[in-house]
Amino acid sequence: MLLEQRTLALLQKILPELEAGFDLPALAPPSESDYRKLEEILGEVAVSLRGNYPYFHPLYAGQMQKPPHPVARAAYMLAMWLNPNNHAFDGGKASSPMEKEAVAGIARMFGWETHLGHLTGGGTMANLEALWVAGKEHPDKWIVGSELAHYTHERISEVLKLKFKKIKALPNGKMDIADLERTLMEIPVGTVVATMGTTGLGTVDPLKDLLDLQQKYGFRIHADGAYGGYYILAGNLNGDTAEQFGLLEQVDSIVIDPHKHGLQPYGCGCVLFRDREAAKWYLHDSPYTYYSSDEIHLGEISLECSRAGASAVGLWATMRMLPPVPGGEFAGILADCRKAALELYARLRSDDRWITIMPPELDIVVWTLKGPDTRTVSESARSFFKLAEANQLYLSLFQYPTSKLPPSPDGPIVNTEYITCLRACLMKPEHLSWIDELWERIMRTMDHPDVKKSLTHV
Ligand SMILES: *Cc1c(COP(=O)(O)O)cnc(C)c1O
């Protein structure tokens, strides 16, 4: 099997159950010729889609792409027959309560028994809402985030006309607290963005230090866990990382992407505010008192208007099947992803032809080849990347600032600003059991004359 199909038979079995809920006059089905046309076009679609990388396969470890769980895909599809819109309560009459339930489950994962929040089209939109509230709370103050924070924070700040400043990152990929404190003394900072798993390296900002500084400088904290947020559940983080995740309860807002680590189809982000009072900023015509009731309509606490109710349905079904609780099966998947990353890292460390950048904090491994200088190394990394693809191993490239390379006597001479690295996102449940296969293909790629040639310069 490559593409799972049994859920289609299940859908066919379950669809009449959905239909049974509507006692209405029957509709005429599409005509025979419509079906023939449909088949023809679907055939064309299938052929076009073959042009994708095999995102669903464990040999794909390039970008942060994790296939949706079959239950998410099937529940999403089931909802497609109705296409609810969770913007308004009457547009998503049954799927809105499902969204609230799912979002409350995510909030509880972070220790929040009450919260204000909802699903969004993705992490960018969720962060936009969080920074929009940040700007409402402190209209004249700055937003700051690590230089390794997702690039959209700077872009979003521009859109919202908020002042944004980058804080330096240390060679270990974490926000440089000394640089943050210098900044706090220089400019009024309203909100600090803490990234709980950077997109490039998977590093986690030092939330504990931020909370300490918060005592003195009184800023808000927004945690961007679009990629890493679910790692609060993995039982096998290193002690320091686990401590940072354990403090998430104390931040003002959190973003997490169920479409990254939550096994959902794209179009599923989530923003959460600890204080339900944040609803006041969303107020348009309704009096504020309206929001203090428990019955907040999702459309009135969201900047986006129409949103797929199907996203909420997919998430709800997945959380029924795999509850996001410590020690559960879902938590075990995350723990396995990290194990896979640690295993790959250990193998790279034991082979002196590689330079590893840092041990994986979550499930991303970044490394490059040894070579005489950073330009040559970058060239070999780029050819390795292409040759790996020829061996059906799909990685990504990452540009790491050479200024942050750890000093090493046998390291390359620095003659470029960035060094091109190879990057593996081991986000799939199968990656752990596929490590030997991935490694075998890495070795095979290593044996290619083009890669060997660059290594002989060492
Ligand atoms: C992916 C990501 C985002 C952006 O989210 P989208 O869902 O791609 O819009 C923001 N922040 C971090 C840390 C991310 O990894």
Side-chain angles (χ1 to χ4, degrees):
M1 176 199 87
L2 277 179
L3 300 177
E4 187 281 326
Q5 294 188 23
R6 261 184 77 183
T7 43
L8 286 178
L10 279 179
L11 265 182
Q12 201 155 27
K13 205 163 131 193
I14 297 297
L15 203 52
E17 301 217 11
L18 172 59
E19 197 174 31
F22 300 91
D23 188 13
L24 291 164
L27 300 172
S31 69
E32 273 313 306
S33 71
D34 281 346
Y35 276 116
R36 276 195 297 277
K37 193 79 195 156
L38 214 151
E39 185 174 348
E40 190 184 309
I41 290 169
L42 283 179
E44 275 178 50
V45 170
V47 172
S48 293
L49 285 175
R50 289 180 194 162
N52 278 302
Y53 286 116
Y55 310 114
F56 60 91
H57 200 280
L59 286 175
Y60 183 87
Q63 305 296 341
M64 286 179 175
Q65 292 185 233
K66 184 163 179 157
H69 192 281
V71 76
R73 208 177 52 216
Y76 192 106
M77 277 171 74
L78 202 54
M80 275 300 92
W81 267 274
L82 301 172
N83 199 26
N85 181 347
N86 274 15
H87 164 64
F89 185 66
D90 57 355
K93 200 157 161 277
S95 50
S96 293
M98 290 165 96
E99 171 165 339
K100 285 188 183 181
E101 211 181 303
V103 170
I106 292 178
R108 273 196 300 276
M109 195 169 86
F110 297 114
W112 290 354
E113 285 306 320
T114 63
H115 71 280
L116 185 87
H118 58 88
L119 299 180
T120 62
T124 304
M125 199 57 213
N127 277 312
L128 177 99
E129 293 205 15
L131 295 194
W132 177 70
V133 167
K136 291 285 184 187
E137 298 275 355
H138 299 294
D140 302 318
K141 295 188 180 175
W142 291 67
I143 312 263
V144 302
S146 149
E147 60 182 310
L148 291 176
H150 199 271
Y151 74 93
T152 48
H153 290 287
E154 189 169 17
R155 185 79 66 80
I156 288 165
S157 301
E158 207 178 295
V159 171
L160 295 170
K161 298 198 165 34
L162 298 171
K163 291 171 283 192
F164 181 89
K165 191 173 189 297
K166 273 185 193 162
I167 305 297
K168 287 200 183 80
L170 295 169
N172 65 6
K174 289 161 179 281
M175 188 187 286
D176 179 347
I177 289 298
D179 191 43
L180 173 63
E181 185 151 24
R182 271 193 299 277
T183 307
L184 290 167
M185 290 188 290
E186 269 167 26
I187 54 173
V189 171
T191 297
V192 176
V193 177
T195 307
M196 306 307 285
T198 55
T199 317
L201 295 163
T203 49
V204 177
D205 278 337
L207 193 50
K208 176 155 193 317
D209 298 339
L210 294 185
L211 287 161
D212 287 346
L213 282 178
Q214 188 183 40
Q215 299 292 319
K216 189 165 164 198
Y217 296 94
F219 47 80
R220 298 168 72 261
I221 299 178
H222 167 60
D224 181 1
Y227 147 68
Y230 280 106
Y231 264 100
I232 194 170
L233 298 174
N236 63 347
L237 299 179
N238 69 43
D240 177 64
T241 310
E243 186 185 4
Q244 313 312 315
F245 275 97
L247 293 166
L248 271 173
E249 203 177 339
Q250 298 179 45
V251 307
D252 296 276
S253 51
I254 301 177
V255 158
I256 179 166
D257 263 359
H259 71 202
K260 287 239 177 94
H261 256 302
L263 300 164
Q264 298 311 298
Y266 283 115
C268 195
C270 178
V271 61
L272 299 165
F273 298 94
R274 190 182 52 183
D275 186 353
R276 287 170 61 80
E277 287 275 314
K280 66 180 183 241
W281 304 116
Y282 287 91
L283 164 159
H284 24 109
D285 291 337
S286 319
Y288 170 49
T289 48
Y290 176 84
Y291 298 99
S292 59
S293 101
D294 261 359
E295 274 318 301
I296 294 172
H297 291 208
L298 290 166
E300 278 164 310
I301 49 153
S302 165
L303 291 184
E304 277 172 287
C305 218
S306 298
R307 280 188 303 107
S311 283
V313 174
L315 181 61
W316 185 90
T318 309
M319 288 170 72
R320 289 283 283 195
M321 185 142 173
L322 301 166
V325 291
E329 192 181 338
F330 180 76
I333 294 175
L334 292 157
D336 280 354
C337 292
R338 178 164 149 76
K339 263 190 225 158
L342 288 171
E343 178 59 30
L344 176 59
Y345 178 74
R347 292 186 190 201
L348 291 164
R349 292 285 295 176
S350 68
D351 182 331
D352 67 4
R353 294 173 294 176
W354 306 110
I355 304 171
T356 50
I357 299 298
M358 63 185 72
E361 202 165 352
L362 302 178
D363 56 24
I364 299 176
V365 187
V366 177
W367 77 98
T368 193
L369 293 110
K370 283 211 176 129
D373 58 81
T374 55
R375 175 161 308 148
T376 313
V377 165
S378 296
E379 277 164 21
S380 349
R382 280 191 293 271
S383 52
F384 186 96
F385 168 74
K386 287 206 197 91
L387 294 163
E389 187 179 320
N391 284 322
Q392 294 186 308
L393 171 66
Y394 304 89
L395 301 169
S396 51
L397 292 172
F398 182 71
Q399 301 289 79
Y400 190 71
T402 43
S403 58
K404 293 192 199 302
L405 279 177
S408 150
D410 62 341
I413 293 164
V414 172
N415 55 0
T416 50
E417 198 183 337
Y418 291 92
I419 183 167
T420 305
C421 297
L422 298 158
R423 172 171 168 269
C425 293
L426 301 173
M427 294 178 76
K428 298 196 174 78
E430 301 87 354
H431 272 140
L432 183 57
S433 57
W434 278 71
I435 273 295
D436 286 339
E437 187 70 33
L438 287 160
W439 185 249
E440 200 264 312
R441 283 162 203 258
I442 288 174
M443 290 296 111
R444 215 189 301 160
T445 309
M446 232 20 208
D447 282 339
H448 194 283
D450 285 3
V451 179
K452 276 203 168 143
K453 192 176 68 200
S454 67
L455 281 168
T456 54
H457 293 298
V458 183

